[in-house]
């Protein structure tokens, strides 16, 4: 049987959004190939493709200085105030201000004068439908969590947490119908005791008749408050070769001796 090879090339329109499958909307791309032999019906083949990066799409990012580089490190101060106390909860530092698909997000936390007992970090993508396109009023925003880390940080001065951006998600983008943006959501659990020493002293109990010997036990109850805070980040497209490399590295097994 004789074979013949045909080549085709086309240009994706610059105004087209990237491939995206969200809660309210979906952008997908296929290459439709039609084949026909003599005296045979036409056969259609759908070849799905993924569009990662397109020029002309406006990227959405968090607040940044006009003169700063988009990949420059970022630092934010988290303050808390309520009826019980107020002060600095933590200084949040990011190694970069923008991240590619598949990149790890390294978050450094330096705790302040308030005693943080626990902190939960969530990497979230927010999908917002424009008011003109929403089907039901009041449900125009949907939040999807892609990674979660929880750390116990009582008596901790500083710590670091790493979140991973999946390879199969979409970068930040916007159209006249939908806005997709990213953020790191923080849930701080703050004790109503300002210093670690107060928590330690509260656990001291006398175990002798004269009160000369002391024993320390963890507190069974601790009054706390939960404080939520969001840090917007920018997620940008990346090269297909980079995605393939990261995917290969994550599938390799490691032997620990």
């Amino acid at each position: 049987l004789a074979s013949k090879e045909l080549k085709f090339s086309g240009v994706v329109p610059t105004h087209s959004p990237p491939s995206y499958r969200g809660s309210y909307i979906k952008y997908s791309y296929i290459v439709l190939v039609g084949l026909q032999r003599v005296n045979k019906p036409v056969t259609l083949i759908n070849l799905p493709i993924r569009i990662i990066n397109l020029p002309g799409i406006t990227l959405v990012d968090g607040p940044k200085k006009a003169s700063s580089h988009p990949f420059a490190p970022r630092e934010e101060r988290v303050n808390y105030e309520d009826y019980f106390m107020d002060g600095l909860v933590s200084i949040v530092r990011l190694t970069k201000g923008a991240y590619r698909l598949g990149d790890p997000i390294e978050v450094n936390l330096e705790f302040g004068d308030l005693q943080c007992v626990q902190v939960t970090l969530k990497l979230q993508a927010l999908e917002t439908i424009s008011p003109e396109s929403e089907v039901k009023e009041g449900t125009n925003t949907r939040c999807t969590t892609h990674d979660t880390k929880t750390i116990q940080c009582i008596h901790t001065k500083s710590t670091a947490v790493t979140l991973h951006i999946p390879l199969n998600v979409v970068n930040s983008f916007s159209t006249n119908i939908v806005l997709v943006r990213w953020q790191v959501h923080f849930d701080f659990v703050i004790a109503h005791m300002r210093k670690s020493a107060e928590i330690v002293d509260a656990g001291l109990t006398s175990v002798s008749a004269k009160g000369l010997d002391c024993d320390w036990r963890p507190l069974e109850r601790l009054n706390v408050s939960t404080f939520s805070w969001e840090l917007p980040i920018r997620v940008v497209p990346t090269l297909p070769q980079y995605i393939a490399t990261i995917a290969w590295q994550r599938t390799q097994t490691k032997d620990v001796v």
Side-chain angles (χ1 to χ4, degrees):
L1 297 176
S3 62
K4 188 176 183 179
E5 180 179 346
L6 301 176
K7 294 184 179 181
F8 169 80
S9 62
V11 178
V12 179
T14 57
H15 62 275
S16 302
S19 302
Y20 176 64
R21 185 182 182 90
S23 302
Y24 299 116
I25 198 168
K26 175 182 177 182
Y27 294 110
S28 61
Y29 297 86
I30 61 172
V31 176
L32 182 61
V33 181
L35 303 176
Q36 183 180 24
R37 298 176 61 183
V38 179
N39 298 328
K40 297 292 183 179
V42 178
T43 302
L44 298 178
I45 301 177
N46 295 328
L47 302 178
I49 61 174
R50 179 184 180 185
I51 302 299
I52 297 177
N53 187 17
L54 286 174
I57 298 298
T58 302
L59 296 179
V60 180
D61 60 326
K64 61 183 180 65
K65 298 180 180 179
S67 59
S68 63
H69 192 276
F71 286 91
R74 293 178 57 186
E75 178 178 307
E76 302 286 345
R77 299 176 66 88
V78 183
N79 295 299
Y80 175 74
E81 180 179 357
D82 68 356
Y83 297 104
F84 300 98
M85 61 183 60
D86 60 86
L88 177 65
V89 178
S90 175
I91 298 177
V92 179
R93 295 186 178 91
L94 299 181
T95 56
K96 296 187 296 184
Y99 299 87
R100 299 177 299 180
L101 297 176
D103 277 353
I105 301 176
E106 298 179 2
V107 183
N108 296 294
L109 301 173
E110 181 180 338
F111 298 103
D113 51 348
L114 297 183
Q115 179 58 54
C116 186
V117 178
Q118 176 182 289
V119 58
T120 300
L121 290 79
K122 299 178 182 180
L123 177 61
Q124 298 177 335
L126 302 176
E127 175 188 354
T128 303
I129 302 297
S130 62
E132 297 79 11
S133 304
E134 65 179 4
V135 178
K136 186 177 180 181
E137 184 179 358
T139 59
N140 61 329
T141 300
R142 180 66 62 89
C143 178
T144 303
T145 300
H146 294 281
D147 196 6
T148 303
K149 293 291 178 59
T150 299
I151 56 174
Q152 310 299 325
C153 51
I154 188 171
H155 310 312
T156 301
K157 183 177 181 180
S158 62
T159 186
V161 183
T162 301
L163 300 172
H164 294 278
I165 302 176
L167 296 171
N168 60 338
V169 297
V170 70
N171 53 275
S172 307
F173 77 96
S174 64
T175 66
N176 60 340
I177 299 178
V178 65
L179 166 67
V180 177
R181 54 192 174 91
W182 289 79
Q183 68 179 17
V184 178
H185 178 90
F186 295 80
D187 287 322
F188 295 96
V189 179
I190 304 171
H192 291 173
M193 298 180 180
R194 182 171 292 271
K195 296 295 184 180
S196 297
E198 298 181 18
I199 300 179
V200 175
D201 293 341
L204 293 176
T205 56
S206 176
V207 295
S208 67
K210 298 181 179 181
L212 299 179
D213 298 328
C214 294
D215 185 22
W216 186 86
R217 296 183 179 88
L219 295 179
E220 295 181 358
R221 295 182 180 181
L222 183 64
N223 294 327
V224 297
S225 297
T226 301
F227 171 62
S228 298
W229 184 72
E230 288 83 25
L231 178 62
I233 62 172
R234 172 195 280 187
V235 177
V236 299
T238 188
L239 297 175
Q241 296 87 339
Y242 177 76
I243 293 182
T245 301
I246 296 299
W248 179 83
Q249 293 176 352
R250 293 183 180 180
T251 55
Q252 300 304 301
T253 58
K254 297 181 179 180
D255 296 330
V256 180
V257 180

